[in-house]
Amino acid sequence: MHRKWCVYFLKLPTTGHNRTCLAEVQDLKSCGDGVPKENSPFINNTDNDKGNSYDGTNMALFEEEMDSNPMVSSLLNKLANYTNLTQGAQEHEEADDDEGPKKKAVKSPQMGTFMGVYLPCLQNILGVILFLRLTWIVGTAGILESLAIVGLCCSCTMLTAISMSAIATNGVVPAGGSYYMISRSLGPEFGGAVGLCFYLGTTFAGSMYILGTIEILLTYIVPKAAIFVAERKEDEVDALLNNMRVYGTCCLALMAVVVFVGVKYVNKLALVFLACVILSILAIYAGVIKTIFEPPDFPVCMLGNRTLQNHNFDKCLKTEIIDNVTVTTKLWKLFCKGSELNATCNEYFANNNVTLVQGIPGLTSGVISENMWSEYGPLNMLVENKKLPSLGGSDPAKDIYMPYVVNDITTFFTLVLFCVLVYYYYGSNCIMAGSNRSGDLRDAQKSIPIGTILAIATTSVIYITCVVLFGACIEGVLLRDKFGDSVKGNLVIGTLSWPSPWVIVIGSFFSCCGAGLQSLTGAPRLLQAIARDGIVPFLQVFGHGKANGEPTWALLLTAAICEIGILIASLDSVAPILSMFFLMCYLFVNLACAVQTLLRTPNWRPRFKYYHWALSFLGMSLCLALMFISSWYYAIVAMAIASCIYKYIEYRGAEKEWARYALIRLEEAPPHTKNWRPQLLVLLNLDSDQGVKHPRLLSFTTQLKAGKGLTIVGNVLEGTYLTKETESKRAEQNIKASMSAERTKGFCHVVVSSNLRDGFSHLIQSAGLGGMKHNTVLMAWPGTWRQSNDPQSWRNFIETVRETTAAHQALLVAKNVDSFPTNQDRLGEGTIDVWWVVHDGGMLMLLPFLLRQHKVWRKCKMRIFTVAQMDDNSIQMKKDLQMFLYHLRLDAEVEVVEMHDNDISAFTYEKTLVMEQRTQMLKQMQLSRTEREREIQSITDESRSSIRRKNQGAAQSTNLSRQSSSVEDTQEDEVAQLIHDRNTASHATINDKADTGPERVHMTWTKDKLFTERSRNRECNANVAVRDLFNMKPNQSNVRRMHTAVKLNEVVVNKSQGAHLVLLNMPGPPRNRGGDENYMEFLEVLLEGLNRVLLVRGGGREVITIYS
């Protein structure tokens, strides 16, 4: 049914065009389907955007900018293929063969939290320290101090894991792990310095694990495989080191080959190694439970109160009776110069008896009370049981080469702490392994925090319970026997396990192998990430690798550095510097999290919410304290190395602009996307008394900025500075007073210009200084533009829109700004609705997040609406948009609104017709006084010369030359003469042809005649104009754009009329200025029925990113 919407804004008659409405509407039904677009102010008919052109009618209002701002539906189609696979995270051997269409599709990540993070973290933490050193630590430091040491390490690791979880879930973390997180948070200098130290630490940790593997192999598995055998006890150390050098080099070469062949083989072997580690842990707990009922038989032979090594004797006896004959044993021969009973023996051996002490007395034996306190001592101190009787003898310093168990190093609290840090902190490097595995995880932002924290909590429980259980089950002298010499060279922890010590031996062996492979896998990728960033020029060659991305050159350098550690050969000599590097890395991870939290950068949106800057600061302080408590000189060395690298990178000039967390460097270069925040230029309007018209605009500024970044509040006065100086100062004072009242932190800038348009242009171009320049303009919608007699008001608005676009600045236009909340308001449960129609850099996503940081909007929820067209899959669009928001770390409800290409209604057609008729009548009937004067002046200038020529031969007594006439009379007389000449032009031509004589007829015009003539001409012109208005047809392009505004307004009002705030893409102004009036009408229709609206235009760059 034809809807009669024919009530004109200008009260035009409604007759004469209704009968044509249906016909015109029917003609327009197919205007978007195959009909060539006509040339109009709103159409970009160049050939450059054929691929992005939109042929429908629903989004015609945005089609002029489709080349730069694509539809959201097309953007989401690209996001559907997004993957967060990192460098080296998957094998590319099969996929990287250049087979064209035969190329295999990359499978999506499928690993979950348990297999992808939790178990690998367990494997890394449960390593050397648990199987090789924890019993010695408990025996040396005692249960209480061991608990304190392990508690410190676990606390520091847990705090660092919390900080790392926040950083790792703040976007996608590509290859590089901790280096990437630190460099992108604190800058390339810090990242490079700590990254290289962490690389060296990881590489030497590979040496440490390989040496640990060889130690287990030669000490506990196949001692007879030693190539170098010591003939004297004092040569045993050198022989062991030489064996470790040879076997370690062979093991390193084998592991490097495995890593070179492919990471997938490392991952397959890792599962085997992990299974062995878990079985070993279970065997320890099973052995502890078994000691309650049946303690294992591992006796320790004691001479007096000294512990004996029992490698070379079977029986803990000096003599024994065989066939009623007393004979000496092998133990006798070790202390005496012969096997005879009267042979000269060691004095201590002669004065003391040998006794057997049960090495594993069991959980209920009460030995826990004896192991509660520490037993520190110097190098080569004998391991003794103070409760056993001992008679004095030879000097203990001379007995170190006798078969006693002695300290191989000087022990004290900080040294034990240092050893724990060395072994534990490389194992706890699993907190970085999780971020490196993000490409293999189904949901990295969920799996990394949960898996890492659960793994650290699990291993902390394992370590703490093991400390207590070892102290409650094992005799103290056996605990202090680092290498198990008193139990025939068995691994001490193996004596406790069930069903066999070999379970622990094999498990620890594979644990060290797996950790060594992980080091040789992770360190080259870390170096490759640093090299590819280009912050250290001479390392750039190591950024290259195989065609599949494997870091071949970095692997070679890593193997070479690792070989240096193996040639050192001593496990305890390689280990010390490692803990410093790792602690320094964790220190800066905590620092990065604390800095980001305190600065509240717009990109800081971690999905992991259980963090706080105080926890990060505590973790940082704990790391620093542990560095200096354990070894202050190693801490100084590590920090000196990091400082040298830092200064080198700074000197070479790292060209990466990452984390400008403060305005320390005022540069012209734009900030990185992750640090982009709106730096506002607020354009205020003042009333006649220089008071602020819209103070709520300043309130909204405060809520949006929260005191962060730059704010410039500007205003333009029309005139000259010489005449407006007083008003300018008064305006500045009023603006500052309003800023203070609204708690807006920023600067005030009042400009005096000859016209408002030039003044606003100057502000947009020149406000700010150097790097402290605005990137966003905030202004109020000109709500009274329809009622204004001066069209310059809305023309200035449109020109401001154009100039912000040309300056690549974002634009925010607040409609009904006086209804926006004040800073004292607290909005209740409600929504901030975002209507994302076209993508223009992500401003629509960022602004609600920033607003919700303020207490006024904190309780509001965010909803995002997008528009689906006829050919779009709305279900898939919703899934893609939800995934995109998940990667952006934004919590919002998502809804896809379907807008089909419906036929253009008669309502839309007639509304467009009314708009165009109104515009045309404004041009004809509502000319401003200035334009009328300009028209009269132009007519006067055109006719002045001809009138003067005609009056030169005339009598001086004519009315046209009276000297007493006023200026206005003279001008009107001249105009009248011109009108008469034009009206009688044809008659004059005929007369000239008929009569060429010198006589001409001159008429004298009075004012009455002039006004009568002018009225008659105006009536004729008005009648013609009215007939033209009622016969005109609306421009088809304007009809389609009105259709966009009407349909989009319907769905927005339907969904968001009750929202606290609506954010909407702002269509661009027409490129042809002839359609400016229509542009304002389109926006009015688009926003009709909405209370608080913020129109948003991007600045031509991305302002939000999925990356950390």
Side-chain angles (χ1 to χ4, degrees):
M1 181 178 179
H2 181 202
R3 182 178 178 180
K4 294 185 178 181
W5 192 90
C6 299
V7 182
Y8 292 90
F9 181 80
L10 295 176
K11 306 297 182 182
L12 298 177
T14 58
T15 58
H17 78 284
N18 289 348
R19 58 182 176 274
T20 65
C21 289
L22 277 176
E24 295 298 331
V25 170
Q26 295 296 328
D27 292 340
L28 285 171
K29 284 183 179 180
S30 61
C31 65
D33 302 322
V35 178
K37 300 177 182 178
E38 61 186 274
N39 189 9
S40 79
F42 285 85
I43 295 292
N44 177 18
N45 51 10
T46 61
D47 297 332
N48 297 332
D49 57 342
K50 290 181 179 179
N52 295 325
S53 63
Y54 179 74
D55 296 328
T57 56
N58 283 339
M59 292 296 111
L61 192 57
F62 298 91
E63 65 184 350
E64 191 176 38
E65 296 181 317
M66 286 293 181
D67 51 346
S68 59
N69 299 335
M71 290 291 296
V72 172
S73 57
S74 63
L75 175 71
L76 293 177
N77 288 333
K78 298 175 183 178
L79 289 175
N81 299 320
Y82 166 77
T83 177
N84 64 336
L85 293 180
T86 58
Q87 180 65 40
Q90 64 159 350
E91 272 303 305
H92 302 274
E93 278 86 350
E94 298 86 1
D96 279 331
D97 294 334
D98 193 8
E99 298 178 359
K102 296 182 180 179
K103 194 171 183 178
K104 293 184 179 180
V106 178
K107 294 182 180 180
S108 60
Q110 295 297 327
M111 297 183 71
T113 302
F114 187 75
M115 290 296 297
V117 180
Y118 182 75
L119 291 182
C121 287
L122 286 182
Q123 180 187 7
N124 281 351
I125 297 180
L126 301 176
V128 172
I129 184 175
L130 179 63
F131 298 119
L132 297 184
R133 296 292 184 264
L134 190 57
T135 54
W136 174 78
I137 291 170
V138 174
T140 303
I143 295 176
L144 294 180
E145 292 185 19
S146 297
L147 287 175
I149 292 172
V150 173
L152 278 175
C153 295
C154 292
S155 300
C156 189
T157 306
M158 181 62 75
L159 292 173
T160 305
I162 292 173
S163 298
M164 186 280 305
S165 297
I167 298 176
T169 58
N170 189 48
V172 179
V173 179
S178 57
Y179 159 72
Y180 185 92
M181 291 187 289
I182 294 172
S183 62
R184 269 57 176 180
S185 299
L186 298 181
E189 294 88 355
F190 276 111
V194 179
L196 284 176
C197 289
F198 193 68
Y199 164 74
L200 293 175
T202 306
T203 303
F204 278 106
S207 303
M208 184 186 74
Y209 275 101
I210 292 174
L211 292 175
T213 302
I214 304 304
E215 179 182 310
I216 295 172
L217 179 69
L218 297 180
T219 306
Y220 305 112
I221 300 179
V222 282
K224 295 182 180 180
I227 300 175
F228 302 92
V229 180
E231 296 180 357
R232 300 179 302 171
K233 184 176 180 180
E234 52 266 30
D235 297 331
E236 288 180 356
V237 176
D238 294 333
L240 178 62
L241 294 181
N242 289 330
N243 286 320
M244 296 185 75
R245 291 185 180 102
V246 174
Y247 280 100
T249 301
C250 296
C251 184
L252 172 63
L254 180 61
M255 288 184 176
V257 169
V258 173
V259 174
F260 177 80
V261 169
V263 181
K264 62 181 179 181
Y265 300 108
V266 176
N267 293 334
K268 290 179 180 179
L269 290 174
L271 295 176
V272 178
F273 300 153
L274 179 60
C276 295
V277 172
I278 294 176
L279 287 176
S280 301
I281 299 296
L282 295 177
I284 293 173
Y285 285 103
V288 170
I289 295 174
K290 185 176 180 295
T291 62
I292 300 175
F293 312 101
E294 185 182 352
D297 185 22
F298 280 97
V300 177
C301 185
M302 306 292 296
L303 177 61
N305 64 357
R306 300 178 181 179
T307 308
L308 295 177
Q309 298 181 2
N310 65 349
H311 293 290
N312 299 318
F313 62 90
D314 299 325
K315 298 178 180 180
C316 186
L317 296 171
K318 292 183 179 182
T319 61
E320 61 180 340
I321 300 174
I322 300 176
D323 297 332
N324 295 325
V325 178
T326 301
V327 296
T328 58
T329 61
K330 292 182 180 179
L331 179 59
W332 181 280
K333 297 176 183 179
L334 295 175
F335 287 89
C336 300
K337 294 183 178 179
S339 59
E340 299 82 6
L341 291 174
N342 59 356
T344 304
C345 297
N346 179 271
E347 183 180 356
Y348 189 85
F349 178 78
N351 294 337
N352 293 275
N353 295 324
V354 293
T355 56
L356 280 176
V357 176
Q358 190 57 254
I360 312 292
L363 192 62
T364 59
S365 64
V367 73
I368 186 173
S369 61
E370 300 176 6
N371 296 326
M372 196 67 68
W373 311 106
S374 60
E375 289 286 346
Y376 299 120
L379 175 66
N380 294 324
M381 185 188 80
L382 300 176
V383 176
E384 299 175 340
N385 187 340
K386 302 297 185 181
K387 290 188 176 183
L388 295 178
S390 175
L391 299 176
S394 59
D395 186 3
K398 298 179 181 178
D399 292 340
I400 59 174
Y401 298 114
M402 303 303 291
Y404 294 120
V405 178
V406 298
N407 287 348
D408 63 332
I409 58 175
T410 301
T411 57
F412 45 89
F413 174 78
T414 56
L415 177 70
V416 175
L417 173 62
F418 184 68
C419 293
V420 174
L421 293 175
V422 168
Y423 297 109
Y424 186 82
Y425 269 102
Y426 178 71
S428 63
N429 188 39
C430 77
I431 68 176
M432 303 304 170
S435 62
N436 286 332
R437 289 175 174 267
S438 61
D440 299 324
L441 300 175
R442 188 184 305 115
D443 188 351
Q445 295 188 3
K446 177 182 178 182
S447 298
I448 290 176
I450 294 177
T452 302
I453 293 176
L454 284 180
I456 293 177
T458 303
T459 52
S460 298
V461 171
I462 291 175
Y463 274 106
I464 291 173
T465 56
C466 283
V467 166
V468 177
L469 293 176
F470 291 167
C473 294
I474 305 175
E475 179 64 40
V477 292
L478 182 57
L479 287 174
R480 295 194 294 276
D481 184 3
K482 183 184 290 187
F483 301 106
D485 292 325
S486 60
V487 286
K488 295 185 179 300
N490 281 304
L491 192 61
V492 174
I493 196 174
T495 61
L496 180 64
S497 63
W498 183 87
S500 170
W502 286 100
V503 177
I504 301 297
V505 172
I506 299 300
S508 60
F509 177 79
F510 282 122
S511 174
C512 291
C513 286
L517 283 173
Q518 293 291 341
S519 298
L520 291 179
T521 302
R525 283 166 173 75
L526 178 59
L527 179 62
Q528 186 183 48
I530 297 174
R532 286 184 170 179
D533 275 340
I535 62 174
V536 183
F538 66 82
L539 291 179
Q540 290 185 4
V541 64
F542 299 106
H544 305 290
K546 293 193 293 186
N548 59 7
E550 291 296 320
T552 306
W553 294 106
L555 177 61
L556 292 177
L557 179 62
T558 301
I561 298 175
C562 195
E563 176 64 17
I564 296 175
I566 290 175
L567 292 178
I568 296 174
S570 174
L571 194 65
D572 296 321
S573 298
V574 173
I577 197 68
L578 303 185
S579 63
M580 295 302 142
F581 288 148
F582 295 136
L583 279 171
M584 188 182 302
C585 179
Y586 300 156
L587 184 151
F588 281 103
V589 168
N590 285 294
L591 177 62
C593 181
V595 168
Q596 296 265 40
T597 305
L598 290 174
L599 292 179
R600 300 175 65 184
T601 56
N603 195 61
W604 182 242
R605 303 183 301 274
R607 285 211 162 269
F608 180 78
K609 303 298 183 183
Y610 305 101
Y611 70 94
H612 194 271
W613 67 266
L615 293 178
S616 300
F617 186 79
L618 178 61
M620 179 186 68
S621 303
L622 195 56
C623 288
L624 187 62
L626 288 175
M627 288 176 65
F628 282 91
I629 289 174
S630 59
S631 178
W632 63 268
Y633 44 88
Y634 278 122
I636 292 177
V637 170
M639 296 180 72
I641 294 174
S643 299
C644 291
I645 299 174
Y646 176 93
K647 297 306 293 183
Y648 173 78
I649 295 174
E650 187 180 46
Y651 172 75
R652 295 292 299 178
E655 297 179 356
K656 303 294 181 182
E657 202 288 322
W658 293 322
R660 301 299 185 194
Y661 60 91
L663 290 174
I664 298 174
R665 301 177 181 178
L666 301 179
E667 297 178 354
E668 295 290 344
H672 191 272
T673 300
K674 68 185 291 295
N675 293 316
W676 194 95
R677 70 161 67 243
Q679 315 291 351
L680 289 180
L681 170 62
V682 184
L683 300 181
L684 282 183
N685 293 326
L686 303 181
D687 54 25
S688 57
D689 296 329
Q690 311 306 323
V692 177
K693 278 187 178 181
H694 305 295
R696 296 289 179 90
L697 199 63
L698 295 176
S699 302
F700 183 73
T701 303
T702 302
Q703 297 157 21
L704 182 62
K705 297 291 293 179
K708 306 292 183 181
L710 175 69
T711 300
I712 301 174
V713 181
N715 176 256
V716 177
L717 298 179
E718 191 170 7
T720 62
Y721 186 72
L722 295 178
T723 59
K724 296 285 186 178
E725 179 185 3
T726 304
E727 295 182 17
S728 173
K729 292 181 178 179
R730 185 167 64 252
E732 186 173 349
Q733 292 175 355
N734 293 339
I735 292 175
K736 288 182 178 179
S738 297
M739 292 174 64
S740 177
E742 302 297 337
R743 290 180 290 182
T744 303
K745 299 178 181 179
F747 306 96
C748 176
H749 194 180
V750 177
V751 173
V752 180
S753 178
S754 58
N755 58 75
L756 296 179
R757 174 180 170 183
D758 291 343
F760 286 127
S761 178
H762 295 159
L763 275 178
I764 292 172
Q765 295 178 56
S766 60
L769 175 65
M772 294 182 63
K773 291 185 67 68
H774 63 279
N775 55 27
T776 305
V777 176
L778 173 62
M779 60 190 304
W781 170 261
T784 59
W785 71 274
R786 278 177 171 170
Q787 291 77 23
S788 176
N789 294 326
D790 185 9
Q792 206 60 35
S793 61
W794 54 263
R795 287 178 181 171
N796 289 336
F797 171 79
I798 297 178
E799 289 304 315
T800 302
V801 177
R802 288 194 176 102
E803 287 176 357
T804 55
T805 303
H808 301 290
Q809 296 174 6
L811 176 64
L812 309 178
V813 179
K815 187 174 186 292
N816 298 328
V817 68
D818 292 330
S819 67
F820 277 47
T822 64
N823 293 325
Q824 289 73 34
D825 294 336
R826 299 292 181 269
L827 297 179
E829 298 294 334
T831 61
I832 300 175
D833 288 358
V834 175
W835 284 85
W836 192 25
V837 181
V838 295
H839 180 67
D840 58 355
M843 280 283 291
L844 286 170
M845 306 294 178
L846 183 61
L847 292 175
F849 171 79
L850 296 177
L851 281 175
R852 291 177 63 198
Q853 305 303 306
H854 197 274
K855 52 190 175 183
V856 173
W857 305 88
R858 189 163 295 161
K859 293 183 179 180
C860 297
K861 295 182 179 180
M862 180 178 172
R863 294 193 301 178
I864 295 184
F865 298 87
T866 190
V867 177
Q869 300 298 316
M870 180 72 72
D871 298 331
D872 296 331
N873 185 342
S874 58
I875 298 177
Q876 187 61 41
M877 280 182 62
K878 185 173 182 178
K879 293 180 179 178
D880 295 340
L881 182 54
Q882 287 173 338
M883 181 58 65
F884 182 52
L885 293 177
Y886 185 79
H887 287 307
L888 290 176
R889 294 93 61 203
L890 293 174
D891 296 323
E893 298 179 11
V894 173
E895 186 171 344
V896 177
V897 179
E898 295 184 353
M899 287 183 60
H900 302 300
D901 282 341
N902 299 326
D903 294 338
I904 298 175
S905 64
F907 172 82
T908 302
Y909 177 83
E910 295 187 17
K911 194 173 183 67
T912 309
L913 184 61
V914 168
M915 176 189 71
E916 294 189 355
Q917 289 174 341
R918 177 183 180 279
T919 301
Q920 190 66 25
M921 292 194 67
L922 283 174
K923 290 181 178 179
Q924 294 179 0
M925 301 174 59
Q926 296 184 358
L927 297 176
S928 66
R929 178 179 180 85
T930 304
E931 290 173 336
R932 290 200 304 269
E933 292 176 354
R934 186 180 297 114
E935 181 179 347
I936 293 175
Q937 185 64 38
S938 63
I939 295 174
T940 303
D941 294 340
E942 180 181 349
S943 62
R944 190 179 301 275
S945 59
S946 61
I947 292 175
R948 288 176 178 174
R949 285 197 305 271
K950 294 176 183 178
N951 291 337
Q952 284 178 357
Q956 297 297 322
S957 61
T958 58
N959 293 331
L960 293 176
S961 59
R962 292 178 180 175
Q963 298 295 325
S964 61
S965 298
S966 63
V967 175
E968 181 179 354
D969 292 341
T970 303
Q971 290 182 347
E972 292 193 355
D973 290 343
E974 292 173 352
V975 174
Q977 182 64 47
L978 176 62
I979 294 174
H980 172 75
D981 291 344
R982 288 180 177 177
N983 290 338
T984 60
S986 58
H987 300 285
T989 304
I990 296 174
N991 293 335
D992 289 342
K993 291 181 179 179
D995 186 4
T996 58
E999 294 183 359
R1000 299 189 61 179
V1001 179
H1002 297 278
M1003 294 185 62
T1004 301
W1005 284 73
T1006 64
K1007 286 186 179 181
D1008 294 337
K1009 291 182 179 181
L1010 173 64
F1011 293 150
T1012 302
E1013 183 70 15
R1014 181 179 294 175
S1015 299
R1016 185 175 63 84
N1017 290 336
R1018 284 182 177 176
E1019 289 177 0
C1020 294
N1021 293 335
N1023 293 332
V1024 173
V1026 170
R1027 286 197 301 271
D1028 292 341
L1029 283 176
F1030 286 102
N1031 291 329
M1032 69 183 298
K1033 296 181 180 180
N1035 184 291
Q1036 291 186 1
S1037 299
N1038 288 342
V1039 174
R1040 288 191 291 115
R1041 280 151 184 78
M1042 182 64 75
H1043 179 73
T1044 298
V1046 171
K1047 300 301 291 185
L1048 191 56
N1049 175 261
E1050 288 179 1
V1051 296
V1052 173
V1053 170
N1054 182 39
K1055 298 287 185 179
S1056 303
Q1057 192 169 21
H1060 287 318
L1061 180 64
V1062 177
L1063 283 80
L1064 182 66
N1065 285 116
M1066 183 178 184
R1071 299 182 182 179
N1072 185 345
R1073 285 173 169 77
D1076 285 355
E1077 302 93 335
N1078 298 337
Y1079 174 70
M1080 298 295 292
E1081 287 284 354
F1082 292 146
L1083 293 183
E1084 280 286 359
V1085 173
L1086 183 63
L1087 305 179
E1088 187 177 358
L1090 298 174
N1091 184 20
R1092 301 181 186 132
V1093 184
L1094 188 66
L1095 290 173
V1096 180
R1097 279 184 63 78
R1101 59 162 294 171
E1102 295 294 326
V1103 300
I1104 195 169
T1105 177
I1106 63 173
Y1107 290 97
S1108 176

